[in-house]
Amino acid sequence: MAQPKSRARRSSSSTSYTSTLTTLIFTALCVLGIWMLTSNSVVTPKTRTPIDDNNSETTNTDLVEDTPETTTTTTTNIIQQDDPVETTTHIAEDSSRETTTNIPEEPHETTTNISEEPRETTTNTAEEPRETTTNISEEPRETTTNISEEPRETTTNILEESSESNTKSHGQRESDIYGDNAGNLSDDAMANEGGNTVKKEVSTENKVGAGSDNDQKSDNSEKEAQSVQASEEDQKGEEENNNVTQDEKENLNTKQNAEAKNVNMKENQEESMSDDQQSFDVQKGKNNDDDANVQQLREDKGEVTEKEEKTRVEDEGGEKKKVKNMRKWGQILKKEWPTQGDESEVEKKRQKEELGGGNDEVKLQDLNWSICNVSTGHDYIPCLDNEKYLKTSTRKHFVHRERHCPEDAPTCLVPLPKGYKIPIQWPASRDKIWYHNIPHTLLADVKGHQNWVKLKGEFLTFPGGGTQFIHGALHYIDFLQQAEPGIAWGTHTRVILDVGCGVGSFGGFLFERDVIAMSFAPKDEHEAQVQFALERGIPAISAVMGTQRLQFPSQVFDLIHCARCRVPWHEDGGMLLLELNRLLRPGGYFVWCATPVYQTIEEDAQIWKQMSVLTKAICWELVSIKKDKLNQVGAAFYRKPLTNECYEQREQNQPPMCKAEDDPNAAWYVPLQACMHKLPVDNERGTKWPEAWPERLQKVPDWLQASQDFAADNERWKNVVDELSNIGVSWSNVRNIMDMRASCGGFAAALKDLPVWVFNVVNIDAVDTLPLIYERGLIGIYHDWCESFSTYPRTYDLLHADHLFSNLMKRCNLVPVIAEVDRILRPGGNLIVRDEPSVIGEVENLLKSLHWEITSTSQEGLLNGKKAMWRPTS
């Protein structure tokens, strides 16, 4: 490397050294004293190159950069001789200065070059003998040590007085720069692995061209000062390290990460360079310990993004929205569902869910299941037992009996009744159930004489009677068939709606005629009537005819039955009867068995008169009125027209026709209207009666355009019985089944030969296949699983969820959904989940937290969970 300019060389004569020693020491002390006094008041850059004694074996090279405007290239080559020398070189630059410091001694050739190459730092350590930039020969080193030893001691004594003030001044400057004011950090800060942080400044006080004596004095005095200050720095190292704030490390990493690409380190470096190597490794992400610490500091300050990738693809232009590794439980799909729900109600729900809706993500480790603290106890139905609403709601039009779900879906668990037992299997369950499973005796007390239900020991028995058929449902069913042969149970008539079903005996005995009844009744003073029906193994839901449409599509029921159902059909312009008109298939029957049909008292006579006017106005044909001599009751049989001809010939447009934009299939929170929809024409659904049962189950309707979907759904589920048997489902223990996300009804169709019934739930954000399901002779309902279902606890033996949870997780919290699953499934019942493996894992963990038994899982995304008897203690 190039030699420094205008540098005098020390005389080679040892005599010259001896004669000038006294003068040299005196002059050096004077110059050093002046220099130290000057440094107390002015922040002067300094260069320190201490060469200590030969007791150390480590060489430290700390490179500290100043402002971004200064670029530095430093090359230090050190040869290690037999007697190792500790050499420490500290180089720093100020933005306004460029300094070259050379310490020439005839036997020593030391060169430190600082060039202006852009922000590129290279440190090379070589062990090749005699090939160095800094050469320290052994013999001259001993001479230098002997000569300078005495001045060092003298300098140390003199500097003791000034070092305290110097340290104070230096510490004051460090406090100003590296203290609490983290926003004013200097760039010349670096933390090494040993915990010592060195902050140096370079000064150029020695001018090029100075005389040999002044150079020698300055050189020696600088050595003495550097020796003392080196020891001071060692004492202050730990204190200075503590002053390094998180912002220092943050700024250091921010600046050095940009430089890391240009830093090239040789793999085989001396142990003496380990600190620097680790410091550089932080920049390059190779030092795990330091990198983790600095990374954590940056994360704490919010400057490092989350480790989990969050990828979102907006749902615009028909593209699906995808969320990777993160899900927000309150985020709703942007997909419109035009056929379900009042627009304002749906929009209100959507805005709530977009804002979070109170459905924050619940971490599994934070789950603490508890018993629901409600007055209804083990009979709790969240959307029908909303105590907050029941206290303030009106009783008019049975509004208080309609669905009013809690603002936040419950995550509590419903307790088991004391003495609960696994339900009795079908068909024996039709006639008796365990008393302790539904410990209610009110109906036995007030309806026992009508053969609704009786209490016998530990059983509740059901003789099969009802208010209008005291002598049994089977006799009554045959009476209706004889009164109107066109009904043709089990062939022409397959799917019926039983309004005000009581304990479900009418629907229960219709199974013997290959008829499936969708029964419903409100949760009212007839204590637990729907719960009795479900415990017996008979399809039923809790619902009321109030101010909203029932949650079924239009024109799907072959027959609608009302036996003393206590519904005021004639009031409010016939609004409730018009709801039945919406649900009844063209050409279908309405069977009304009530006192106005066969009694002549004034009140009944007046009701019959109003009903006659109303049924004529809606073009229902009164086919016949028949009396059952055994039960001393009578029934009226009405038939809905097949075409619009009668509607068009009416003298008065009362009730009026519904507006063309009113979708008759819309049924999710849709208010009732006193109007009629036009009947289908041409090849629309409803113009033709379905095929006779059981052919209608597999017959593709003429109006169905997507026939390939129909066939694919059948093909998919044709082997489901064997498949579920292989994963632990015991069909002898299964009666009530719910397909929680039904498609075309293929799952239910595959089970037709088993003594089971399937309730097909079509989700409100899915394709509306519910009319097709009814066309096939099956039953179902619309529902949104972000809300609770309108059924009693412990009412289903098997729940089937085909990709339900992955769809729900886009809109609502999974924890309340699992709590709802636990509520409606019986102990010992099965939950079959088909979904993505990641979703299967989440569901499995939640079920395990409920102490469920996971009897089977597979890599294909199939899980079988079995509910246990476990309940939390509080």
Side-chain angles (χ1 to χ4, degrees), residues 7 10 17 20-21 23-29 31-32 35 49-51 102-105 143-145 147-153 155 159 206 212-228:
R7 282 293 193 184
R10 183 185 302 175
Y17 282 113
T20 58
L21 178 59
T23 304
L24 178 61
I25 294 173
F26 178 80
T27 304
L29 293 176
V31 172
L32 182 60
W35 177 72
T49 309
I51 302 177
N102 301 290
I103 308 175
E105 296 181 11
T143 305
T144 303
T145 302
I147 294 174
S148 59
E149 183 175 357
E150 182 178 341
R152 283 186 194 172
E153 295 175 355
T155 302
L159 287 177
N206 299 324
S212 61
D213 289 342
N214 290 337
D215 288 339
Q216 180 65 40
K217 295 172 184 178
S218 177
D219 181 61
N220 288 335
S221 62
E222 190 169 287
K223 289 180 181 180
E224 318 302 344
Q226 289 167 353
S227 298
V228 175

Side-chain angles (χ1 to χ4, degrees), residues 314-368:
E314 292 296 330
D315 180 20
E316 297 177 356
E319 293 182 358
K320 293 182 179 180
K321 188 169 187 178
K322 180 181 179 182
V323 181
K324 186 177 182 181
N325 290 340
M326 183 185 73
R327 295 183 177 94
K328 289 185 177 179
W329 308 110
Q331 189 172 26
I332 192 171
L333 292 173
K334 302 300 181 183
K335 179 180 177 181
E336 293 291 342
W337 179 241
T339 62
Q340 294 309 316
D342 176 67
E343 183 177 356
S344 61
E345 183 68 23
V346 170
E347 183 62 25
K348 181 179 178 181
K349 283 176 172 291
R350 178 170 298 159
Q351 291 175 359
K352 172 187 172 183
E353 290 170 343
E354 286 178 345
L355 293 174
N359 289 330
D360 295 330
E361 183 177 357
V362 180
K363 295 182 179 180
L364 185 60
Q365 59 268 28
D366 296 334
L367 276 179
N368 185 18

Side-chain angles (χ1 to χ4, degrees), residues 518-715:
M518 181 68 261
S519 304
F520 77 92
K523 189 178 185 183
D524 58 11
E525 64 273 9
H526 291 93
E527 188 180 55
Q529 53 186 339
V530 170
Q531 190 176 17
F532 284 137
L534 288 162
E535 184 75 8
R536 296 171 67 188
I538 301 168
I541 60 167
S542 290
V544 66
M545 299 200 71
T547 65
Q548 297 177 348
R549 290 179 178 176
L550 296 174
Q551 296 154 22
F552 310 111
S554 67
Q555 306 174 149
V556 292
F557 291 104
D558 303 335
L559 182 146
I560 298 178
H561 174 255
C562 165
R564 197 76 177 270
C565 57
R566 302 171 61 191
V567 177
W569 304 116
H570 58 289
E571 295 181 359
D572 299 312
M575 186 180 298
L576 299 181
L577 192 66
L578 289 170
E579 172 62 0
L580 295 190
N581 184 71
R582 181 184 74 88
L583 300 174
L584 188 60
R585 186 183 300 279
Y589 289 94
F590 172 59
V591 178
W592 187 33
C593 184
T595 56
V597 175
Y598 57 89
Q599 289 186 357
T600 58
I601 60 176
E602 182 178 354
E603 181 182 2
D604 288 334
Q606 185 65 29
I607 293 174
W608 174 256
K609 182 179 179 179
Q610 294 175 350
M611 277 289 289
S612 298
V613 173
L614 180 59
T615 54
K616 183 179 179 179
I618 64 176
C619 297
W620 281 11
E621 176 191 2
L622 179 58
V623 178
S624 63
I625 300 176
K626 300 291 183 177
K627 287 188 177 180
D628 179 8
K629 295 181 179 180
L630 179 62
N631 290 310
Q632 296 294 305
V633 299
F637 298 83
Y638 296 91
R639 193 167 183 242
K640 182 178 177 178
L642 291 168
T643 68
N644 291 304
E645 183 179 358
C646 177
Y647 296 162
E648 296 167 353
Q649 295 177 354
R650 290 186 304 166
E651 295 179 359
Q652 296 181 352
N653 189 29
Q654 290 296 330
M657 304 304 293
C658 298
K659 296 180 180 179
E661 60 268 21
D662 183 14
D663 182 4
N665 292 323
W668 185 248
Y669 291 111
V670 177
L672 291 176
Q673 299 181 58
C675 66
M676 295 187 301
H677 296 90
K678 286 187 176 182
L679 295 175
V681 296
D682 299 329
N683 198 35
E684 293 179 340
R685 178 178 66 85
T687 55
K688 295 181 180 180
W689 197 267
E691 295 287 333
W693 179 263
E695 286 77 12
R696 69 188 286 182
L697 182 65
Q698 302 298 337
K699 171 69 175 178
V700 180
D702 295 336
W703 51 265
L704 182 64
Q705 297 180 354
S707 58
Q708 66 278 8
D709 295 337
F710 183 94
D713 196 54
N714 283 344
E715 181 68 21

Side-chain angles (χ1 to χ4, degrees), residues 3 8-9 127 252 268 322 375 393 409 621 663 814 824:
Q3 295 293 327
R9 297 182 178 274
E127 296 185 7
L252 173 66
N268 298 323
K322 180 181 179 182
S375 60
S393 64
E621 176 191 2
D663 182 4
L814 189 59
I824 67 178

Side-chain angles (χ1 to χ4, degrees), residues 243-258:
N243 289 332
V244 179
T245 64
Q246 293 181 357
D247 282 344
E248 291 176 37
K249 292 187 177 182
E250 169 198 339
N251 291 341
L252 173 66
N253 280 273
T254 302
K255 180 181 70 174
Q256 291 181 347
N257 282 339

Side-chain angles (χ1 to χ4, degrees), residues 775-793:
E775 191 82 2
R776 302 184 69 176
L778 307 170
I779 60 172
I781 196 169
Y782 296 119
H783 186 61
D784 180 4
W785 285 109
C786 293
E787 297 182 359
S788 185
F789 195 77
S790 294
T791 191
Y792 279 86

Side-chain angles (χ1 to χ4, degrees), residues 809-869:
M809 290 169 72
K810 303 172 185 175
R811 301 192 294 116
C812 52
N813 196 327
L814 189 59
V815 175
V817 180
I818 296 298
E820 176 66 3
V821 167
D822 182 86
R823 187 184 72 87
I824 67 178
L825 190 64
R826 292 169 173 172
N830 298 94
L831 170 66
I832 307 299
V833 182
R834 304 172 191 271
D835 222 310
E836 302 170 7
S838 59
V839 177
I840 290 285
E842 294 186 46
V843 172
E844 180 178 357
N845 288 335
L846 286 170
L847 297 182
K848 287 180 178 178
S849 72
L850 291 167
H851 299 258
W852 283 34
E853 178 186 359
I854 307 302
T855 62
S856 176
T857 56
S858 70
Q859 296 299 325
E860 291 75 25
L862 179 62
L863 177 145
N864 179 16
K866 188 175 182 179
K867 181 180 174 180
M869 288 279 192

